[in-house]
Amino acid sequence: MNKSTRNKWLALIAILAVAGFAAGVWVLLNPASFVVQPWRAQQSITSARFVFGPYPVQADMDRLKDEGVTTIISLLNPKVPYEAVLLEEEKKRAAKLGIEVHNFPMGSILGQRFGEDYERNSRAAAETAINTPGTVYIHCYLGLHRAANVRDYLEKHGTVDTRQFEGSVQHDRTPRQLANERGRRLFRQQQYDAALRELHSVQPLDYSAYVAQGWIRLRQEHNDLARDSFHTASLMPNPRSDASSGLGFALLRLEDLEGARAAFEQALKLSPGDNDAGQGMAQVLYRQDRLDEARVLLEQLHEEVPENPEVTALLERVRNAQPVVQ
């Protein structure tokens, strides 16, 4: 083989090596790609409080927000270059949706753990989840080994009823689920009529569709229709706090303070960390002139989420208000 031919072969090998490396990096940075997807946890065991699964791509993040997740516990290890990139992207996506992210790095390659902090961070992640109000999403890269280790720790500290939480990769979604997701996306874009058309494009409506329809009706100030949608959802099997909370806000607008209070109480019973329901209850107490109770609740909410402007403004009004003399 002459020198010219050998150089051509070396150049071709170099190009293939670079292409292979680039393809490998692309695969690692796209956890929901067709290459990685077969290895991701397709369905994650969840409870009303804890959700387990793989790295949340944008579609997953939107669905988690819609499912009421307020905190994400990421087990990605920022010392691994591609996980460091994914972690930063996750933080940016979560911040836009108002979801808090905690990182407890756990090293794992093909299920083989490494690093001195593996067990310590697993326990810390579980304990943080226990002590964090609201619904928590706990994940690693594939949603398998590291997430399972944290789940095992939680299960040892009490049993909970479970349901199935499915990922948001499109080929795993039913037509009903896809219609719900498109409807919620249009809702976030304030395209309310289009969102309603999307929700009604597949029949019958399910629980999530009725809840989404309720929030759309509230934004449109069709309070009686919003009340009916939330009420229908609250009567369906295994309702969550979002239906009761939405019902409470609809009744609050309709001046049914006792009905609103009962709805918010039910929401807080289902999810004690539901900040929206707590805020709604505080509004009821304020309007019923139960200022001391409203102040205590608002101070608690303010401590949990100090940057919430609505809670801050209502707390200021309560502190400055004088009780009505009977």
Side-chain angles (χ1 to χ4, degrees):
M1 182 183 295
N2 58 42
K3 184 176 181 181
S4 176
T5 302
R6 184 172 65 253
N7 287 343
K8 289 180 180 179
W9 275 107
L10 290 174
L12 178 60
I13 292 171
I15 291 172
L16 291 175
V18 171
F21 176 78
V25 170
W26 180 88
V27 167
L28 291 172
L29 292 176
N30 290 273
S33 69
F34 69 95
V35 179
V36 180
Q37 183 60 30
W39 305 99
R40 280 167 44 108
Q42 295 295 309
Q43 292 187 325
S44 305
I45 297 175
T46 74
S47 70
R49 285 265 288 126
F50 307 121
V51 182
F52 296 90
Y55 176 84
V57 296
Q58 184 63 60
D60 293 314
M61 193 74 80
D62 291 338
R63 180 162 172 78
L64 291 172
K65 175 65 175 179
D66 293 331
E67 290 286 334
V69 170
T70 54
T71 302
I72 290 176
I73 292 180
S74 174
L75 307 176
L76 297 184
N77 188 349
K79 292 182 179 180
V80 178
Y82 71 88
E83 291 200 353
V85 173
L86 292 173
L87 180 60
E88 289 306 310
E89 290 180 352
E90 176 181 22
K91 289 178 179 178
K92 292 177 183 177
R93 290 175 182 144
K96 291 179 180 179
L97 295 172
I99 300 175
E100 188 174 0
V101 176
H102 298 283
N103 178 226
F104 295 92
M106 295 172 63
S108 176
I109 297 179
L110 299 177
Q112 300 300 311
R113 65 187 66 180
F114 64 87
E116 298 178 357
D117 295 334
Y118 191 96
E119 291 299 335
R120 181 173 65 84
N121 281 351
S122 177
R123 290 193 298 272
E127 289 166 359
T128 297
I130 292 171
N131 295 321
T132 298
T135 304
V136 182
Y137 184 64
I138 304 167
H139 77 88
C140 51
Y141 184 74
L142 295 176
L144 298 175
H145 306 96
R146 288 173 281 183
N149 189 279
V150 176
R151 187 180 68 226
D152 291 343
Y153 182 91
L154 288 169
E155 288 179 348
K156 291 176 182 177
H157 289 72
T159 58
V160 292
D161 294 331
T162 61
R163 60 184 172 89
Q164 293 295 319
F165 179 87
E166 301 161 344
S168 293
V169 178
Q170 182 163 331
H171 65 261
D172 287 332
R173 314 300 291 152
T174 66
R176 173 73 270 165
Q177 291 167 329
L178 290 172
N180 288 351
E181 290 176 7
R182 289 191 294 265
R184 288 190 291 263
R185 190 177 305 116
L186 289 165
F187 170 75
R188 286 191 291 270
Q189 296 169 357
Q190 299 182 12
Q191 299 181 41
Y192 302 132
D193 289 334
L196 285 173
R197 287 194 297 271
E198 191 63 58
L199 291 174
H200 285 267
S201 66
V202 179
Q203 295 292 331
L205 272 63
D206 63 3
Y207 174 88
S208 295
Y210 275 113
V211 170
Q213 179 176 255
W215 290 114
I216 292 170
R217 293 304 192 188
L218 270 184
R219 289 289 181 87
Q220 294 178 320
E221 299 187 359
H222 297 159
N223 302 323
D224 53 344
L225 297 178
R227 174 200 60 202
D228 294 344
S229 293
F230 288 127
H231 180 67
T232 298
S234 70
L235 297 178
M236 298 179 81
N238 303 314
R240 299 188 295 272
S241 65
D242 52 357
S244 298
S245 182
L247 178 60
F249 283 109
L251 293 172
L252 193 59
R253 288 190 179 184
L254 292 168
E255 302 297 330
D256 182 355
L257 297 184
E258 288 302 322
R261 180 174 180 177
F264 288 129
E265 285 178 346
Q266 178 64 14
L268 292 169
K269 180 180 179 181
L270 292 170
S271 180
D274 189 329
N275 193 277
D276 288 337
Q279 184 178 330
M281 178 64 80
Q283 290 186 41
V284 171
L285 294 171
Y286 172 65
R287 290 169 63 172
Q288 290 180 328
D289 200 38
R290 302 169 68 164
L291 300 181
D292 288 340
E293 295 175 69
R295 178 182 54 77
V296 170
L297 178 55
L298 286 166
E299 287 176 347
Q300 177 184 341
L301 294 172
H302 182 68
E303 183 178 352
E304 293 174 356
V305 189
E307 66 277 10
N308 188 320
E310 295 179 357
V311 169
T312 301
L314 183 56
L315 177 58
E316 188 67 21
R317 290 203 302 272
V318 169
R319 285 172 171 170
N320 294 330
Q322 296 295 325
V324 176
V325 178
Q326 301 293 333

